[in-house]
Amino acid sequence: MKNSRLTCRATRVGTGGDSRGSGVQVQRAGEGPQMPDRSTKATMGAEDIHERKVSMEPRDSHQDAQPRGMFQNIKFFVLCHSILQLAQLMISGYLKSSISTVEKRFGLSSQTSGLLAAFNEVGNISLILFVSYFGSRVHRPRMIGCGAILVAVAGLLMALPHFISEPYRYDHSSPEDRSQDFEASLCLPTTMAPASALSNDSCSSRTETKHLTMVGIMFTAQTLLGIGGVPIQPFGISYIDDFAHHSNSPLYLGILFAITMMGPGLAYGLGSLMLRLYVDIDRMPEGGINLTTKDPRWVGAWWLGFLISAGLVVLAASPYFFFPREMPKEKYELHFRQKVLAGGASIGSKGEELSSQHEPLKKQAGLPQIAPDLTVVQFIKVFPRVLLRTLRHPIFLLVVLSQVCTSSMVAGTATFLPKFLERQFSITASFANLLLGCLTIPLAIVGIVVGGVLVKRLHLSPMQCSALCLLGSLLCLLLSLPLFFIGCSTHHIAGITQDLGAQPGPSLFPGCSEPCSCQSDDFNPVCDTSAYVEYTTPCHAGCTGRVVQEALDKSQVFYTNCSCVAGNGTISAGSCESACSRLVLPFILLISLGAAVASITHTPSFMLILRGVKKEDKTLAVGMQFMLLRVLAWMPSPVIHGSAIDTTCVHWALTCGRRAVCRYYDHDLLRNRFIGLQFFFKSGSLVCFALVLAILRQQSREASTKATVKSSDLQEL
């Protein structure tokens, strides 16, 4: 017969993170009946004594006498979770760094690619309430590990289309006969033109089905990425808050936030490195390729970054399957904590501000604390009433609406700013990602830190927080005004920019190329540097010859006997260089400064929510804040920005009769609409913070009036 063991399990009572109960349930292990509950007063220094000290089981005291393993150490958990969230943000942010490359590779419009980038929020939102409610009833480390494995699987699925698709073809020549690469683009009579130049791509139902399969795989991967990310952050934060010493928790969370915020910057840096490599680096054609990274037909190794990020996630997820469900609570405060905070560890200060209310730290995972003992049915009945009470709060609504505007701006910028820089200033995708990863993202992190320091050191009141947010929004708006004027118009593209309102077709191309057998779908741009005119192919420039000049480390291709060029001159391969390339640094500097100023409002606006709602509603308010940001900002914003970008296209590539990727944009229209959307969202945030400040001032005046009336009544008595 198995020996029955009596174990004592400490449970937390109440909804507040600061009030820790000590109700002890004694339960017989195995199949024996449950014994009556006992109550043990363990409140004497409960923050310094872990709950298992009240155990009646002899082996617990033996375990306490032994040194803890690393999987019983909360510091090791903080390290693992920092690395995991860093890797998770790398894999979720990497698609944004390669969005223009994915468009070219699979023939996607900006609207479709924006929907793809936002689709991970669909998986996240679909499960967040379910996970939030049952979060306290599961093995949190294992759930985090399973979620991370799902994120890694999503990363592998994102790279799968590269391996099941045919090699990338940047021209219409036969892949078996690379010697016809240049002939397919030259001006040749109909009887002399290669067959590949006269026939369109195969447009069978199998081709279209394969294209839809590739796109479907990527959308499925994005959905799994959102689902896998649901338990990682909320479960990790609540686990740290539960088992860290209450004085160390802010510092641990500050370290976690600081390391996590580096993820997007590393994602853009990884994208910068990977996009310098050719997409088919694993299956290069014989004789190599005749493309450079500056060629508009260049497609980088977008898939390689997903494999690297997925590998990092798998490595970071491994330790979570060895952490216990409940870890012994940390006994001692870190001796260097006070010195670190006093020395200006602003990230830690920000964590302390947020952890002053234990419920908000749990974010979505804290939703069950509204009523931890409710059944699912009871929870569903109570939730709408609490939700309506929270949504009726004007400060909460206005602050969340301002954050929605700011997040919409951030989501659109993060997704399409690299592509905008590529098109507007004729820079490579690699260099555009490098600018964002090394300048914009770090300055945004600095802005968040500065905002936390100002709130902490100056002890800002709600009215002062709203004033700081209003000032930051105003400065951000002013910094965006010069962006409307930094850029150049689209250079002359023969047959396209002459009539921007018409669709490109054979009738639009110059008459000098009419004797040639040119295909309107071909794309091999060449530039007449003397007249600063670009042609979509050498054939449309009337060129009949090709010359390659070898240099020390590269070769330059020229096309000769061009009938559309003055004096049947020679033109060079590749698009014409933009006259505004030198303006990219001032532009990105203004963008980065605006991001830093806007990020200053992050912590003050968060504190407005925490201090503006009832204490019992704070957990729900934070959960609803993140839910609304996802639904109203992070999901629709990339699609809105992508749709606006598509409206500025003047020349679409056609694949089987459908519009694929855009090859040329109206640069002035692109700049005005992209920056105009940013300006619109920044204006909305400014208006919301102005209303918040006005309401707080009105409430302050009413409170002072009531205090004056009350004091006068007391004096009369």
Side-chain angles (χ1 to χ4, degrees), residues 524-541:
N524 180 16
V526 291
C527 180
D528 179 6
T529 54
S530 60
Y532 202 59
V533 177
E534 183 170 327
Y535 300 87
T536 53
T537 66
C539 179
H540 293 105

Side-chain angles (χ1 to χ4, degrees), residues 267-494:
Y268 284 107
L270 181 62
S272 177
L273 293 176
M274 296 301 103
L275 296 184
R276 295 178 183 178
L277 306 175
Y278 185 63
V279 60
D280 290 326
I281 190 174
D282 57 329
R283 46 186 179 183
M284 291 286 285
E286 295 183 6
I289 57 173
N290 296 322
L291 294 180
T292 64
T293 56
K294 292 185 178 181
D295 195 300
R297 297 172 296 168
W298 173 270
V299 172
W302 60 273
W303 53 273
L304 193 54
F306 284 111
L307 297 183
I308 295 174
S309 300
L312 292 177
V313 171
V314 170
L315 292 177
S318 302
Y320 285 88
F321 296 97
F322 302 98
F323 282 108
R325 178 169 183 166
E326 294 184 359
M327 182 181 294
K329 187 169 181 64
E330 195 176 30
K331 293 184 178 181
Y332 305 107
E333 179 180 2
L334 295 178
H335 296 296
F336 62 90
R337 175 180 171 273
Q338 294 294 336
K339 184 182 297 184
V340 170
L341 293 182
S346 54
I347 297 291
S349 299
K350 176 189 172 187
E352 187 174 354
E353 270 301 323
L354 297 181
S355 66
S356 61
Q357 305 292 341
H358 281 236
E359 302 94 343
L361 280 175
K362 295 181 175 23
K363 295 185 178 179
Q364 297 94 333
L367 284 174
Q369 293 189 12
I370 299 172
D373 298 326
L374 293 181
T375 63
V376 176
V377 177
Q378 292 172 334
F379 176 77
I380 294 175
K381 291 180 179 179
V382 172
F383 182 77
R385 294 198 299 269
V386 183
L387 176 62
L388 288 176
R389 185 173 69 226
T390 304
L391 292 179
R392 287 174 182 172
H393 199 291
I395 300 298
F396 173 79
L397 276 181
L398 287 172
V399 173
V400 170
L401 188 57
S402 69
Q403 291 181 339
V404 165
C405 293
T406 302
S407 298
S408 298
M409 176 196 68
V410 173
T413 301
T415 305
F416 289 110
L417 183 57
K419 177 178 180 176
F420 177 84
L421 296 177
E422 292 176 47
R423 297 292 185 168
Q424 192 72 40
F425 302 104
S426 298
I427 62 175
T428 64
S430 175
F431 185 54
N433 285 311
L434 185 64
L435 290 175
L436 263 71
C438 294
L439 189 60
T440 307
I441 301 296
L443 283 180
I445 295 175
V446 170
I448 295 177
V449 173
V450 170
V453 170
L454 292 176
V455 173
K456 175 67 177 179
R457 296 295 176 87
L458 301 180
H459 304 285
L460 299 181
S461 64
M463 187 180 299
Q464 291 171 329
C465 285
S466 63
L468 178 60
C469 292
L470 181 63
L471 180 61
S473 299
L474 179 60
L475 290 177
C476 183
L477 189 68
L478 294 177
L479 285 172
S480 64
L481 287 176
L483 300 178
F484 285 101
F485 309 101
I486 301 180
C488 291
S489 302
T490 305
H491 55 270
H492 184 201
I493 304 170

Side-chain angles (χ1 to χ4, degrees), residues 117-138:
F119 217 70
N120 65 319
E121 301 295 344
V122 175
N124 193 289
I125 293 173
S126 61
L127 288 181
I128 188 63
L129 286 179
F130 179 82
V131 171
S132 296
Y133 181 74
F134 292 99
S136 59
R137 309 181 184 187
V138 298

